[in-house]
Amino acid sequence: MPDRVFALNGPNLNLLGQRQPEIYGAATLADVERECAALCGELGLALEFRQSNHEGVLVDWVQEARGAAKAIVINPGAFTHTSVALLDALNAFDGPVIEVHISNVHKREDFRRHSYVSLRADGVIAGCGTDGYGLALRRVANLLARP
Ligand code: DHK
């Protein structure tokens, strides 16, 4: 049985490819999911890829991952900078957590430089565009192979 990884996406990421392409690029979230699924096939991982605009739904999915996934890759969108609830949920998850930001949040507004999720994340990838998801999955595969 391949190890299952949850890839969770927060608010407005459903608009990827349409929203501020100069910052977030031209790929759609469906494109990202397709690339992640292909990579997971190569890495021997089973992918569960989801997006929600709602904080509580993301919290529910992180809780669901406790019994259903070995690792979490998460782009929490704007909840990165605001959500203690998401941090608390991630703190109740035992496996590797990799935080992804498509843009370089350190090159933007000051409020984007603080992340609640980073207090839990084992790794953070920012500013690598949508390639960041693949980098995160490769890191997860390495961590699961040799913790
Ligand atoms: C995505 C968002 O929607 C923003 O709210 C974050 C992140 C950055 C990203 O770069 O993927 O600040």
Side-chain angles (χ1 to χ4, degrees):
M1 277 279 282
D3 288 335
R4 184 165 299 279
V5 180
F6 275 21
L8 304 179
N9 293 278
N12 299 305
L13 289 162
N14 54 313
L15 297 181
L16 213 54
Q18 302 169 46
R19 163 175 86 130
Q20 297 180 282
E22 69 286 2
I23 294 176
Y24 296 106
T28 66
L29 197 62
D31 294 332
V32 176
E33 180 173 4
R34 215 173 299 113
E35 284 177 19
C36 287
L39 180 61
C40 280
E42 289 172 29
L43 296 172
L45 299 171
L47 178 70
E48 185 66 36
F49 192 97
R50 302 181 186 173
Q51 186 276 332
S52 175
N53 291 327
H54 303 279
E55 184 177 13
V57 171
L58 290 160
V59 168
D60 285 345
W61 288 344
V62 171
Q63 289 188 11
E64 181 186 336
R66 280 160 53 84
K70 286 273 171 50
I72 296 175
V73 169
I74 185 163
N75 182 346
F79 293 142
T80 305
H81 319 296
T82 62
S83 182
V84 176
L86 205 47
L87 171 62
D88 285 349
L90 288 164
N91 276 333
F93 177 78
D94 280 338
V97 173
I98 308 294
E99 177 182 349
V100 173
H101 303 290
I102 296 165
S103 66
N104 182 354
V105 285
H106 298 288
K107 222 177 155 183
R108 301 179 64 190
E109 301 95 326
D110 272 355
F111 68 83
R112 293 188 202 275
R113 305 191 70 180
H114 177 262
S115 166
Y116 284 101
V117 171
S118 290
L119 292 167
R120 164 63 180 88
D122 299 293
V124 182
I125 296 166
C128 296
T130 54
D131 290 349
Y133 288 83
L135 297 171
L137 289 166
R138 287 184 192 280
R139 178 65 181 156
V140 159
N142 287 344
L143 287 172
L144 293 178
R146 32 179 180 76

